[in-house]
Amino acid sequence: MISVTRRRPELGLLFWVSAMGVTGSVAVAAAEAAGFRPQQLVIPVIFIVIAFVLHLFLAARGIRGDQLLLPIAAALTAIGLVLVQRLASNLLVQQLSWTLIAAGAFAATILIPRDLTALSRFKWTWALLGFLLLLSPLLPVIGREVNGARIWIGLGTVTFEPWEAVKILLVIFFAAYLEEFREVLSQTQRRFGPIPVPPLPYFGPIVAMWAIAMVVMVFERDLGATLLFLGIFLAMLYLATGEAFYTLIGILLLLVGGYVAYHAFGHVAARVDVWLHPFAEEVRFSSGYQLVQGLFALANGGLFGAGLGNGMPDRIALRAPTPFLQLLAAGLSFIVALQTLVIVGGNARLIPLTGITLPFVAYGGSSLVTNWMLVALLIRVSDLTARVKGTP
């Protein structure tokens, strides 16, 4: 029997999401066509059905996890659909198709694996798979270059960004690795002044992550992925050890590598130059166009936009029952936070603009599918926490 009452708050929030999605779609359709036709409700209604089916699926599985995550993900995806309808309506059906695939990936992640903690036993498998996927765009046959960044692979007519899956694989690896070696990394007796110096074999992953980040920035020409991967690793390293010096060392290595890459590689220098001078006549209608339009949008909408400006700092990671699940949930949360920071910071000209997508909102299948899988993993962690504590 489906226990819908157990997830009643989630159900109520989904009704608000439905109202928002329908209202936005109707407003866009009416403005574009100077009149509204009932058939224009087909896509938002299909999306609403998908969202409620996922709710029923969680209820049927007896999931006790967080009831805010699904409505939030659905709301952001609905906003993305409305924006695609407004800006590129010919891609709306394709984006809805990706949403359906993402829903399937969400359900599969809820079901597999049955024991979430079992992921930690295969940490080196995830690391190797993530490394191979990360380098796959550099291969001569399947690698694709889009807008100057070589971050795509193509199989026939299907193309996707492998680094979207890599970020989840690496977070699983980081969580398992840091759970195993956090004591060695945080309680080392060897220090260079105030800086802790762990045994060389345990210091290797820090250098390895820096090297991987530099490969991505230099050869795949993707500054956003570089910031995201290294940022997630350093954040999780700090959470696991409590040593801020590891983070400082990582930032210093990133700055040194970035400085060398700026002077050695033209495409890196071009990104930085556009960031510094976006209104220059030779770039404002070409490579600097997106940044300039973003600045105009911010100037028009104001710093805080029309939102309430309030947030909820409570995180699932703080209540997870094991160190691995704590680090896993924290890393997954940092993915969304840092990815949002990088793209918003780029459009606000706080950092160089990158090709990072805004989670759930931006057009594209790779990002949408992996972000819904990320939400499913967070729901599973919160479900395990609720079961351990015996909460309904």
Side-chain angles (χ1 to χ4, degrees):
M1 181 177 178
I2 298 178
S3 179
V4 177
T5 56
R6 179 174 287 171
R7 302 193 67 81
R8 184 175 293 170
E10 180 180 81
L11 179 62
L13 290 172
L14 286 177
F15 279 109
W16 287 103
V17 172
S18 302
M20 180 189 69
V22 170
T23 301
S25 180
V26 169
V28 170
E32 286 186 344
F36 174 72
R37 298 188 304 275
Q39 57 266 34
Q40 293 171 322
L41 283 176
V42 171
I43 287 182
V45 167
I46 292 175
F47 172 74
I48 292 169
V49 170
I50 293 172
F52 279 98
V53 167
L54 290 180
H55 162 74
L56 293 174
F57 169 74
L58 293 178
R61 296 292 303 175
I63 299 296
R64 304 179 186 178
D66 190 283
Q67 300 195 43
L68 291 176
L69 291 175
L70 176 60
I72 290 173
L76 292 173
T77 304
I79 292 173
L81 287 170
V82 171
L83 291 177
V84 171
Q85 180 183 355
R86 169 65 179 85
L87 300 174
S89 58
N90 59 309
L91 298 176
L92 186 57
V93 174
Q94 185 173 343
Q95 185 70 355
L96 181 66
S97 301
W98 279 116
T99 303
L100 183 60
I101 295 172
F106 173 92
T109 307
I110 292 293
L111 297 173
I112 305 170
R114 294 183 61 182
D115 180 10
L116 196 60
T117 59
L119 292 173
S120 64
R121 297 202 295 266
F122 305 96
K123 58 180 178 293
W124 295 110
T125 302
W126 308 130
L128 178 60
L129 181 58
F131 182 70
L132 293 176
L133 282 175
L134 189 64
L135 297 183
S136 59
L138 298 178
L139 297 177
V141 177
I142 62 174
R144 301 285 188 272
E145 182 173 321
V146 179
N147 295 327
R150 196 174 179 85
I151 58 174
W152 296 78
I153 62 176
L155 299 173
T157 59
V158 179
T159 60
F160 61 95
E161 297 175 272
W163 76 267
E164 292 285 357
V166 171
K167 62 188 181 186
I168 294 181
L169 293 174
L170 291 184
V171 163
I172 297 173
F173 165 70
F174 294 155
Y177 179 87
L178 292 172
E179 179 194 33
E180 183 176 354
F181 299 110
R182 64 191 302 179
E183 297 296 329
V184 177
L185 291 169
S186 61
Q187 297 182 6
T188 178
Q189 300 299 316
R190 301 168 56 198
R191 306 186 79 88
F192 182 74
I195 302 176
V197 182
L200 186 59
Y202 304 115
F203 189 72
I206 301 177
V207 178
M209 272 308 301
W210 173 79
I212 292 173
M214 291 302 103
V215 168
V216 172
M217 179 170 64
V218 171
F219 294 102
E220 298 188 4
R221 305 175 184 179
D222 190 3
L223 180 60
T226 300
L227 296 175
L228 185 64
F229 290 146
L230 196 58
I232 292 170
F233 175 69
L234 294 178
M236 293 181 67
L237 185 60
Y238 174 73
L239 288 176
T241 65
E243 291 284 0
F245 288 108
Y246 288 139
T247 305
L248 295 177
I249 291 172
I251 294 174
L252 180 61
L253 288 173
L254 177 63
L255 292 175
V256 171
Y259 178 82
V260 173
Y262 174 81
H263 290 280
F265 302 97
H267 59 272
V268 176
R271 285 276 190 177
V272 177
D273 291 341
V274 168
W275 170 52
L276 294 175
H277 309 288
F279 292 99
E281 193 167 338
E282 63 273 15
V283 300
R284 62 183 177 186
F285 294 114
S286 54
S287 56
Y289 180 78
Q290 181 178 344
L291 179 55
V292 170
Q293 295 304 306
L295 292 174
F296 284 150
L298 286 173
N300 184 58
L303 182 60
F304 299 103
L308 297 176
N310 296 319
M312 298 184 65
D314 300 327
R315 285 205 316 268
I316 293 171
L318 299 177
R319 303 187 295 271
T322 68
F324 169 71
L325 293 177
Q326 291 171 354
L327 290 167
L328 177 64
L332 294 172
S333 301
F334 275 117
I335 286 177
V336 178
L338 290 177
Q339 197 166 326
T340 302
L341 178 64
V342 169
I343 184 58
V344 173
N347 280 286
R349 202 180 157 227
L350 299 176
I351 60 175
L353 186 64
T354 70
I356 290 284
T357 57
L358 186 61
F360 301 101
V361 177
Y363 171 78
S366 308
S367 176
L368 192 62
V369 171
T370 54
N371 281 316
W372 273 92
M373 293 175 65
L374 184 154
V375 168
L377 287 171
L378 287 174
I379 289 177
R380 289 196 61 179
V381 173
S382 64
D383 176 63
L384 287 172
T385 303
R387 293 179 186 276
V388 169
K389 295 185 177 181
T391 55

